[in-house]
Amino acid sequence: MRFLLDAEQRAFAASLDAMLTAADTPSVVRDWSRGEHTRGRALWSRLADADVFALAVPEEYGGLGPRPVELAVAFVELGRHAVPGPLVETVAAAALLAALDDTGPAKRLLPALASGESAATLATGPYALDADMADVRLTVAARDAELRLAPPPGRPHPSLDPARRLFAPAHGGELLAAGPQVAEAVAHGLTWGRLAAAAQCLGVGLALLDRTVAYVGQRTQFGVPIGSFQAVKHHLADAKIALEFARPLLFGAALTMAPADVAAAKVTASEAAYATARTALQLHGAIGYTAEYDLSLWLTKARALHTAWGGPQECRALVLSGGDRRW
């Protein structure tokens, strides 16, 4: 099957690419890594003005969604430019809130998420991403089947990606929902978060490939660009094939939103991005290891996203189970 974007979707991607190119995202990422969120918040507002967050919020709560295909288009560009922040978490939180039986929390919290006035993080395990800047901090207690609005967190914990700041969620907080509806809503939010993460992975991989192709065309050895060497061409061709194989899986999953399809997209896109990161690091040589070099911003993100929102083993198990597949 072929999944081609229409003219409006391509224009949306191009507009985001132009905006993020002008925003100098590497500088924003480095500020974010130090806990300085001023420029990141300003970029968040511009993304909201472009209706990025509204794509995951139903119309009755001030959004444009649900529009998963357009969301995937947007998150490819966010990954391509290494935009920091709880982007995926805000999408997952919005989907979770919209899926609750009780519409009270959705009416209260979703309009601000759609407009960009608020950012959200969602903790279903030991850590919450960027909980220091998120206005809406959702925590899920699986044992008690409870969804809570958590208080501010403590200190950050080490992370593979310095721009992905991890915090242990604070205990207590306001109870928003309880019972079987919580598990069902969390599963719905997880599917949306996994789709956004898969799209982000694809964008990260594409950026790494583009930067590496440019680099090997400039770096010379034995008097010629290293990009002319057959072995280098083979490495880059393998990366290109892996990323292009992930693209139709991503947009196919966005059309069905079946958990198994989304899991297939996530494992394929994350492994393609991770393999491209290894190729990029090898072909850049020692300079690729330096944190001062912009390539490192995408390398660390590829590593972190490889296991975020479902690692390869978990996603493969879901794919093999065939749960809810619609192709």
Side-chain angles (χ1 to χ4, degrees):
M1 299 178 69
R2 298 181 68 196
F3 299 99
L4 300 177
L5 302 179
D6 62 27
E8 185 176 349
Q9 291 162 340
R10 293 195 298 272
F12 180 45
S15 67
L16 289 176
D17 179 46
M19 180 182 71
L20 294 172
T21 299
D24 185 21
T25 53
S27 296
V28 177
V29 173
R30 291 191 165 91
D31 283 352
W32 197 276
S33 300
R34 294 189 293 267
E36 299 171 6
H37 299 131
T38 302
R39 296 177 66 187
R41 275 286 197 178
L43 182 56
W44 190 281
S45 295
R46 291 199 290 275
L47 290 172
D49 290 342
D51 292 326
V52 169
F53 305 114
L55 297 170
V57 177
E59 292 183 10
E60 59 265 35
Y61 303 117
L64 299 176
R67 301 183 69 174
V69 174
E70 285 74 15
L71 186 87
V73 170
F75 270 76
V76 169
E77 297 306 318
L78 298 180
R80 195 193 297 270
H81 290 274
V83 178
L87 302 159
V88 174
E89 289 68 23
T90 295
V91 166
L96 187 161
L97 290 168
L100 291 172
D101 294 338
D102 179 4
T103 60
K107 290 178 180 177
R108 171 183 162 192
L109 299 172
L110 285 183
L113 293 181
S115 69
E117 180 182 346
S118 294
T121 192
L122 173 62
T124 59
Y127 298 113
L129 182 71
D130 293 318
D132 58 333
M133 65 76 64
D135 311 285
V136 178
R137 294 175 291 273
L138 300 181
T139 61
V140 177
R143 178 180 301 176
D144 303 318
E146 291 181 348
L147 175 68
R148 290 184 176 272
L149 195 59
R155 61 180 179 83
H157 292 260
S159 173
L160 284 172
D161 179 2
R164 291 174 57 84
R165 293 165 54 81
L166 302 177
F167 295 82
H171 296 293
E174 179 188 351
L175 180 65
L176 294 180
Q181 63 163 328
V182 172
E184 294 175 4
V186 168
H188 182 71
L190 173 61
T191 299
W192 274 79
R194 188 168 284 165
L195 178 77
Q200 212 174 15
C201 286
L202 178 58
V204 168
L206 291 171
L208 285 165
L209 181 61
D210 288 346
R211 286 173 172 270
T212 306
V213 168
Y215 180 77
V216 300
Q218 298 167 357
R219 180 184 167 191
T220 60
Q221 196 171 34
F222 308 115
V224 296
I226 64 170
S228 64
F229 299 159
Q230 197 71 19
V232 171
K233 292 179 181 179
H234 285 169
H235 281 302
L236 293 173
D238 288 344
K240 175 70 170 177
I241 289 169
L243 292 168
E244 291 306 320
F245 183 74
R247 191 191 300 271
L249 287 179
L250 171 67
F251 289 109
L255 287 173
T256 71
M257 288 306 287
D261 296 341
V262 175
K266 173 59 170 63
V267 69
T268 306
S270 65
E271 295 219 316
Y274 189 70
T276 303
R278 292 173 63 89
T279 296
L281 183 60
Q282 179 181 5
L283 296 183
H284 276 80
I287 194 173
Y289 286 95
T290 60
E292 293 79 13
Y293 193 56
D294 283 353
L295 184 79
S296 67
L297 305 180
W298 282 268
L299 291 174
T300 54
K301 193 168 293 293
R303 289 181 62 199
L305 288 174
H306 190 231
T307 54
W309 294 92
Q313 184 175 359
E314 179 183 349
C315 288
R316 284 195 176 96
L318 182 55
V319 173
L320 290 173
S321 73
D324 240 357
R325 182 175 286 111
R326 298 173 191 168
W327 283 2

